[in-house]
Amino acid sequence: MKHPFYAHFLVLIATLLVAGSFIASQQLVHTINPISLTLLRFICASLVLGPFVLSRKKWRLGLLSMFPKTMIISLFFSGFFIALFESLKYTSTLNTGTLYTLVPLVTACLCLIIFKQPIDKKRLLAYGLGAIGTCWVIFKADINALLMFELNKGDLIFLAGSFSMCLYSVSMKYLYRGEEMIPLVFCTILGGVVWVSLALLISGEPLEWQNLNVSLMGSMAYLVIGATVVTMYLYQKATVELGPNKVMAYSFLNPACLAILLFIFEDIKLEAIILPGIVISLFATLVLQINAQPKQ
């Protein structure tokens, strides 16, 4: 890693890509069942990255030794996206965006247990501010809409997926032993293919890949390249340098990034009422970056 600021830049790019995946996922979830969609995504991602990795002898020879640990990492990564796709069949991006604000705090709690990294008062306050900021953006400062928020079946599924994302970040930090990142990402994607294939066999769900039409290819390509290959590389590289706490703190910016992307690509108006929420979320994220211990 060139410099810590470079790692923060990588996480910002990954955060934007993840926000975009919510839009792309919403367009696909009613076409293909979630498990099959995740499998297709990982297979395509492995085909994109595979030739690049397998063409280099050094990387090719190291794949077997990486595979056991990447099976663990990929279990949690796969779990998040299966849960995301499944939840969007029953709930809205508004609800998932709200629940995703829990990811930084849950990650911090896991780091407390696994890495013995304490959560001081300043960071605890920052987690609270981050949640307030993101909810402000999501509910557009409408307290009545927030009070009407109720958990449904899709929300519970997404909560389980969010916990899986926390475990993905922590396991990446815990299991990393200096391996080169590109072959590590490739092995993680292959592990995802294995786990999701097993899930598909157990569930008995049909593939339904024939339901994809030309109009959906752009969304699928985005999920494969932008939200899988590139995002996984950026997250794993940044997590090794910054640690799970700092990386997952950027989750507070997800609703703001989603609002900006919807404005740019879907022509949905960026309302002035959400701007204070974006500022609060940004402030909380900055506090967590500055106040966190190195590489936690």
Side-chain angles (χ1 to χ4, degrees), residues 1 43 100 104 127 132 218 224 243 259 274 281 288:
M1 186 69 66
I43 288 175
Y100 202 65
Y127 287 127
I132 290 170
V224 169
I274 73 171
S281 300
L288 289 170

Side-chain angles (χ1 to χ4, degrees), residues 4-58:
F5 286 114
Y6 179 67
H8 287 289
F9 175 73
L10 297 184
V11 187
L12 278 171
I13 297 299
T15 303
L16 280 168
L17 291 172
V18 168
S21 74
F22 280 78
I23 300 172
S25 300
Q26 187 71 68
Q27 296 170 348
L28 290 163
V29 289
H30 299 292
T31 303
I32 304 176
N33 75 76
I35 301 176
S36 181
L37 178 59
T38 306
L39 177 59
L40 178 60
R41 173 182 181 173
F42 285 161
I43 288 175
C44 291
S46 64
L47 291 174
V48 169
L49 196 55
F52 182 60
V53 173
L54 297 176
S55 64
R56 299 188 62 170
K57 184 178 180 180
K58 181 182 177 181

Side-chain angles (χ1 to χ4, degrees), residues 38-95:
T38 306
L39 177 59
L40 178 60
R41 173 182 181 173
F42 285 161
I43 288 175
C44 291
S46 64
L47 291 174
V48 169
L49 196 55
F52 182 60
V53 173
L54 297 176
S55 64
R56 299 188 62 170
K57 184 178 180 180
K58 181 182 177 181
W59 289 356
R60 189 169 62 248
L61 293 176
L63 294 179
L64 192 59
S65 63
M66 292 182 192
F67 204 64
K69 70 175 64 179
T70 56
M71 283 294 290
I72 298 173
I73 296 169
S74 63
L75 172 63
F76 301 128
F77 189 75
S78 305
F80 170 74
F81 286 105
I82 290 174
L84 170 61
F85 292 144
E86 183 67 22
S87 69
L88 287 173
K89 291 166 62 178
Y90 308 102
T91 191
S92 66
T93 52
L94 179 75
N95 285 28

